[in-house]
mmCIF file of all heavy atoms in Angstrom:
data_model
loop_
_atom_site.group_PDB
_atom_site.id
_atom_site.type_symbol
_atom_site.label_atom_id
_atom_site.label_comp_id
_atom_site.label_asym_id
_atom_site.label_seq_id
_atom_site.Cartn_x
_atom_site.Cartn_y
_atom_site.Cartn_z
ATOM 1 N N ALA O 70 -29.519 13.817 -2.551
ATOM 2 C CA ALA O 70 -28.157 14.285 -2.704
ATOM 3 C C ALA O 70 -27.514 13.170 -3.574
ATOM 4 O O ALA O 70 -27.677 11.936 -3.291
ATOM 5 C CB ALA O 70 -27.461 14.376 -1.360
ATOM 6 N N ARG O 71 -26.668 13.569 -4.539
ATOM 7 C CA ARG O 71 -25.929 12.706 -5.370
ATOM 8 C C ARG O 71 -24.474 13.178 -5.491
ATOM 9 O O ARG O 71 -24.180 14.314 -5.244
ATOM 10 C CB ARG O 71 -26.551 12.630 -6.712
ATOM 11 C CG ARG O 71 -27.847 11.866 -6.812
ATOM 12 C CD ARG O 71 -28.370 11.707 -8.182
ATOM 13 N NE ARG O 71 -29.562 10.928 -8.203
ATOM 14 C CZ ARG O 71 -30.370 10.930 -9.283
ATOM 15 N NH1 ARG O 71 -30.108 11.609 -10.369
ATOM 16 N NH2 ARG O 71 -31.481 10.193 -9.245
ATOM 17 N N VAL O 72 -23.591 12.286 -6.021
ATOM 18 C CA VAL O 72 -22.271 12.616 -6.319
ATOM 19 C C VAL O 72 -22.069 12.457 -7.775
ATOM 20 O O VAL O 72 -22.370 11.389 -8.263
ATOM 21 C CB VAL O 72 -21.286 11.745 -5.507
ATOM 22 C CG1 VAL O 72 -19.799 12.026 -5.852
ATOM 23 C CG2 VAL O 72 -21.484 11.923 -4.032
ATOM 24 N N PRO O 73 -21.595 13.474 -8.505
ATOM 25 C CA PRO O 73 -21.223 14.771 -7.961
ATOM 26 C C PRO O 73 -22.449 15.595 -7.635
ATOM 27 O O PRO O 73 -23.579 15.276 -8.019
ATOM 28 C CB PRO O 73 -20.522 15.450 -9.227
ATOM 29 C CG PRO O 73 -21.045 14.766 -10.390
ATOM 30 C CD PRO O 73 -21.396 13.342 -9.940
ATOM 31 N N ASP O 74 -22.250 16.658 -6.877
ATOM 32 C CA ASP O 74 -23.299 17.470 -6.362
ATOM 33 C C ASP O 74 -24.250 18.087 -7.479
ATOM 34 O O ASP O 74 -25.361 18.312 -7.260
ATOM 35 C CB ASP O 74 -22.791 18.644 -5.539
ATOM 36 C CG ASP O 74 -23.822 19.373 -4.772
ATOM 37 O OD1 ASP O 74 -24.692 18.750 -4.201
ATOM 38 O OD2 ASP O 74 -23.825 20.623 -4.923
ATOM 39 N N THR O 75 -23.680 18.220 -8.689
ATOM 40 C CA THR O 75 -24.443 18.843 -9.783
ATOM 41 C C THR O 75 -25.533 17.872 -10.255
ATOM 42 O O THR O 75 -26.401 18.300 -11.040
ATOM 43 C CB THR O 75 -23.533 19.179 -11.005
ATOM 44 O OG1 THR O 75 -22.821 18.046 -11.333
ATOM 45 C CG2 THR O 75 -22.612 20.299 -10.647
ATOM 46 N N MET O 76 -25.507 16.596 -9.804
ATOM 47 C CA MET O 76 -26.526 15.590 -10.124
ATOM 48 C C MET O 76 -27.595 15.486 -9.117
ATOM 49 O O MET O 76 -28.498 14.774 -9.319
ATOM 50 C CB MET O 76 -25.872 14.283 -10.478
ATOM 51 C CG MET O 76 -24.896 14.246 -11.614
ATOM 52 S SD MET O 76 -25.686 14.797 -13.143
ATOM 53 C CE MET O 76 -26.739 13.469 -13.473
ATOM 54 N N SER O 77 -27.442 16.193 -8.021
ATOM 55 C CA SER O 77 -28.477 16.226 -6.978
ATOM 56 C C SER O 77 -29.794 16.588 -7.434
ATOM 57 O O SER O 77 -29.821 17.534 -8.292
ATOM 58 C CB SER O 77 -27.968 17.015 -5.807
ATOM 59 O OG SER O 77 -26.809 16.494 -5.159
ATOM 60 N N LEU O 78 -30.878 16.134 -6.910
ATOM 61 C CA LEU O 78 -32.172 16.492 -7.260
ATOM 62 C C LEU O 78 -32.686 17.516 -6.264
ATOM 63 O O LEU O 78 -32.684 17.365 -5.077
ATOM 64 C CB LEU O 78 -33.145 15.325 -7.284
ATOM 65 C CG LEU O 78 -32.941 14.290 -8.383
ATOM 66 C CD1 LEU O 78 -33.938 13.178 -8.289
ATOM 67 C CD2 LEU O 78 -33.079 14.999 -9.797
ATOM 68 N N LEU O 79 -33.173 18.629 -6.821
ATOM 69 C CA LEU O 79 -33.803 19.710 -6.000
ATOM 70 C C LEU O 79 -35.250 19.802 -6.380
ATOM 71 O O LEU O 79 -35.665 19.316 -7.423
ATOM 72 C CB LEU O 79 -33.141 21.059 -6.298
ATOM 73 C CG LEU O 79 -31.675 21.155 -5.796
ATOM 74 C CD1 LEU O 79 -30.823 21.889 -6.793
ATOM 75 C CD2 LEU O 79 -31.609 21.716 -4.440
ATOM 76 N N ALA O 80 -36.034 20.481 -5.542
ATOM 77 C CA ALA O 80 -37.471 20.737 -5.770
ATOM 78 C C ALA O 80 -37.821 22.116 -5.403
ATOM 79 O O ALA O 80 -37.258 22.680 -4.502
ATOM 80 C CB ALA O 80 -38.333 19.666 -5.139
ATOM 81 N N THR O 81 -38.806 22.646 -6.096
ATOM 82 C CA THR O 81 -39.357 23.940 -5.783
ATOM 83 C C THR O 81 -40.743 23.663 -5.127
ATOM 84 O O THR O 81 -41.554 22.924 -5.707
ATOM 85 C CB THR O 81 -39.578 24.810 -7.007
ATOM 86 O OG1 THR O 81 -38.309 25.027 -7.581
ATOM 87 C CG2 THR O 81 -40.180 26.193 -6.567
ATOM 88 N N TYR O 82 -40.944 24.139 -3.986
ATOM 89 C CA TYR O 82 -42.255 24.035 -3.271
ATOM 90 C C TYR O 82 -42.898 25.401 -3.182
ATOM 91 O O TYR O 82 -42.188 26.441 -2.787
ATOM 92 C CB TYR O 82 -42.065 23.458 -1.869
ATOM 93 C CG TYR O 82 -41.819 21.977 -1.886
ATOM 94 C CD1 TYR O 82 -40.564 21.439 -2.149
ATOM 95 C CD2 TYR O 82 -42.867 21.099 -1.709
ATOM 96 C CE1 TYR O 82 -40.359 20.007 -2.094
ATOM 97 C CE2 TYR O 82 -42.734 19.712 -1.670
ATOM 98 C CZ TYR O 82 -41.436 19.222 -1.894
ATOM 99 O OH TYR O 82 -41.254 17.835 -1.892
ATOM 100 N N GLU O 83 -44.194 25.381 -3.409
ATOM 101 C CA GLU O 83 -45.006 26.658 -3.235
ATOM 102 C C GLU O 83 -45.640 26.540 -1.894
ATOM 103 O O GLU O 83 -46.344 25.526 -1.623
ATOM 104 C CB GLU O 83 -46.053 26.769 -4.308
ATOM 105 C CG GLU O 83 -46.757 28.071 -4.390
ATOM 106 C CD GLU O 83 -47.642 28.202 -5.581
ATOM 107 O OE1 GLU O 83 -48.774 27.750 -5.486
ATOM 108 O OE2 GLU O 83 -47.167 28.764 -6.609
ATOM 109 N N VAL O 84 -45.347 27.492 -1.027
ATOM 110 C CA VAL O 84 -45.819 27.456 0.396
ATOM 111 C C VAL O 84 -46.804 28.705 0.513
ATOM 112 O O VAL O 84 -46.421 29.825 0.243
ATOM 113 C CB VAL O 84 -44.627 27.634 1.351
ATOM 114 C CG1 VAL O 84 -45.159 27.615 2.800
ATOM 115 C CG2 VAL O 84 -43.573 26.513 1.065
ATOM 116 N N MET O 85 -47.997 28.415 0.943
ATOM 117 C CA MET O 85 -48.988 29.383 1.120
ATOM 118 C C MET O 85 -49.151 29.686 2.640
ATOM 119 O O MET O 85 -49.318 28.710 3.497
ATOM 120 C CB MET O 85 -50.388 29.003 0.506
ATOM 121 C CG MET O 85 -50.426 29.241 -0.978
ATOM 122 S SD MET O 85 -49.529 28.183 -2.064
ATOM 123 C CE MET O 85 -50.234 26.580 -1.863
ATOM 124 N N LEU O 86 -49.198 31.013 2.981
ATOM 125 C CA LEU O 86 -49.304 31.368 4.328
ATOM 126 C C LEU O 86 -50.491 32.345 4.432
ATOM 127 O O LEU O 86 -50.689 33.180 3.510
ATOM 128 C CB LEU O 86 -48.080 32.081 4.878
ATOM 129 C CG LEU O 86 -46.883 31.185 4.969
ATOM 130 C CD1 LEU O 86 -45.994 31.361 3.770
ATOM 131 C CD2 LEU O 86 -46.066 31.530 6.265
ATOM 132 N N GLY O 87 -51.219 32.297 5.550
ATOM 133 C CA GLY O 87 -52.305 33.310 5.780
ATOM 134 C C GLY O 87 -51.719 34.642 6.111
ATOM 135 O O GLY O 87 -50.474 34.781 6.261
ATOM 136 N N PRO O 88 -52.512 35.631 6.249
ATOM 137 C CA PRO O 88 -52.046 37.002 6.533
ATOM 138 C C PRO O 88 -51.323 37.079 7.800
ATOM 139 O O PRO O 88 -50.388 38.040 8.002
ATOM 140 C CB PRO O 88 -53.332 37.856 6.543
ATOM 141 C CG PRO O 88 -54.436 36.948 6.531
ATOM 142 C CD PRO O 88 -54.004 35.623 6.059
ATOM 143 N N ASP O 89 -51.488 36.222 8.780
ATOM 144 C CA ASP O 89 -50.793 36.230 10.070
ATOM 145 C C ASP O 89 -49.494 35.422 10.030
ATOM 146 O O ASP O 89 -48.764 35.324 10.980
ATOM 147 C CB ASP O 89 -51.657 35.656 11.154
ATOM 148 C CG ASP O 89 -52.126 34.264 10.929
ATOM 149 O OD1 ASP O 89 -51.864 33.656 9.860
ATOM 150 O OD2 ASP O 89 -52.693 33.648 11.895
ATOM 151 N N GLY O 90 -49.162 34.852 8.872
ATOM 152 C CA GLY O 90 -47.973 34.024 8.754
ATOM 153 C C GLY O 90 -48.086 32.529 9.021
ATOM 154 O O GLY O 90 -47.088 31.869 8.982
ATOM 155 N N GLU O 91 -49.282 32.067 9.237
ATOM 156 C CA GLU O 91 -49.523 30.714 9.593
ATOM 157 C C GLU O 91 -49.551 29.915 8.219
ATOM 158 O O GLU O 91 -50.357 30.276 7.311
ATOM 159 C CB GLU O 91 -50.895 30.525 10.257
ATOM 160 C CG GLU O 91 -51.126 29.126 10.715
ATOM 161 C CD GLU O 91 -50.361 28.724 11.973
ATOM 162 O OE1 GLU O 91 -49.936 29.672 12.783
ATOM 163 O OE2 GLU O 91 -50.068 27.604 12.140
ATOM 164 N N LEU O 92 -48.740 28.889 8.130
ATOM 165 C CA LEU O 92 -48.735 28.043 6.916
ATOM 166 C C LEU O 92 -50.078 27.368 6.721
ATOM 167 O O LEU O 92 -50.579 26.766 7.611
ATOM 168 C CB LEU O 92 -47.589 27.034 6.934
ATOM 169 C CG LEU O 92 -47.255 26.214 5.704
ATOM 170 C CD1 LEU O 92 -45.799 25.945 5.680
ATOM 171 C CD2 LEU O 92 -48.060 24.906 5.611
ATOM 172 N N THR O 93 -50.611 27.459 5.517
ATOM 173 C CA THR O 93 -51.920 26.804 5.236
ATOM 174 C C THR O 93 -51.787 25.678 4.268
ATOM 175 O O THR O 93 -52.475 24.660 4.506
ATOM 176 C CB THR O 93 -52.912 27.848 4.599
ATOM 177 O OG1 THR O 93 -52.361 28.404 3.454
ATOM 178 C CG2 THR O 93 -53.219 28.955 5.639
ATOM 179 N N THR O 94 -50.905 25.731 3.347
ATOM 180 C CA THR O 94 -50.739 24.686 2.313
ATOM 181 C C THR O 94 -49.352 24.755 1.769
ATOM 182 O O THR O 94 -48.684 25.891 1.771
ATOM 183 C CB THR O 94 -51.706 24.628 1.137
ATOM 184 O OG1 THR O 94 -51.575 25.856 0.450
ATOM 185 C CG2 THR O 94 -53.177 24.477 1.631
ATOM 186 N N TYR O 95 -48.868 23.571 1.201
ATOM 187 C CA TYR O 95 -47.694 23.596 0.424
ATOM 188 C C TYR O 95 -47.848 22.520 -0.600
ATOM 189 O O TYR O 95 -48.515 21.553 -0.431
ATOM 190 C CB TYR O 95 -46.391 23.423 1.260
ATOM 191 C CG TYR O 95 -46.184 22.112 1.848
ATOM 192 C CD1 TYR O 95 -45.499 21.123 1.168
ATOM 193 C CD2 TYR O 95 -46.634 21.787 3.123
ATOM 194 C CE1 TYR O 95 -45.325 19.814 1.685
ATOM 195 C CE2 TYR O 95 -46.424 20.547 3.705
ATOM 196 C CZ TYR O 95 -45.733 19.555 2.944
ATOM 197 O OH TYR O 95 -45.558 18.323 3.526
ATOM 198 N N LYS O 96 -47.130 22.674 -1.766
ATOM 199 C CA LYS O 96 -47.157 21.713 -2.767
ATOM 200 C C LYS O 96 -45.781 21.815 -3.629
ATOM 201 O O LYS O 96 -45.290 22.897 -3.759
ATOM 202 C CB LYS O 96 -48.315 21.779 -3.719
ATOM 203 C CG LYS O 96 -48.371 23.113 -4.483
ATOM 204 C CD LYS O 96 -49.660 23.182 -5.337
ATOM 205 C CE LYS O 96 -49.761 24.517 -5.957
ATOM 206 N NZ LYS O 96 -50.978 24.744 -6.688
ATOM 207 N N ARG O 97 -45.316 20.683 -4.099
ATOM 208 C CA ARG O 97 -44.224 20.598 -4.934
ATOM 209 C C ARG O 97 -44.630 21.008 -6.394
ATOM 210 O O ARG O 97 -45.673 20.475 -6.896
ATOM 211 C CB ARG O 97 -43.525 19.318 -5.002
ATOM 212 C CG ARG O 97 -42.302 19.307 -5.792
ATOM 213 C CD ARG O 97 -41.415 18.039 -5.678
ATOM 214 N NE ARG O 97 -42.204 16.862 -6.238
ATOM 215 C CZ ARG O 97 -41.874 15.644 -6.093
ATOM 216 N NH1 ARG O 97 -40.816 15.241 -5.414
ATOM 217 N NH2 ARG O 97 -42.630 14.693 -6.667
#
Side-chain angles (χ1 to χ4, degrees):
R71 290 187 175 163
V72 176
D74 189 50
T75 55
M76 297 301 294
S77 294
L78 291 178
L79 293 143
T81 302
Y82 282 83
E83 189 171 86
V84 180
M85 278 71 68
L86 296 97
D89 63 349
E91 188 73 28
L92 190 145
T93 57
T94 61
Y95 71 87
K96 63 182 174 183
R97 184 170 65 191

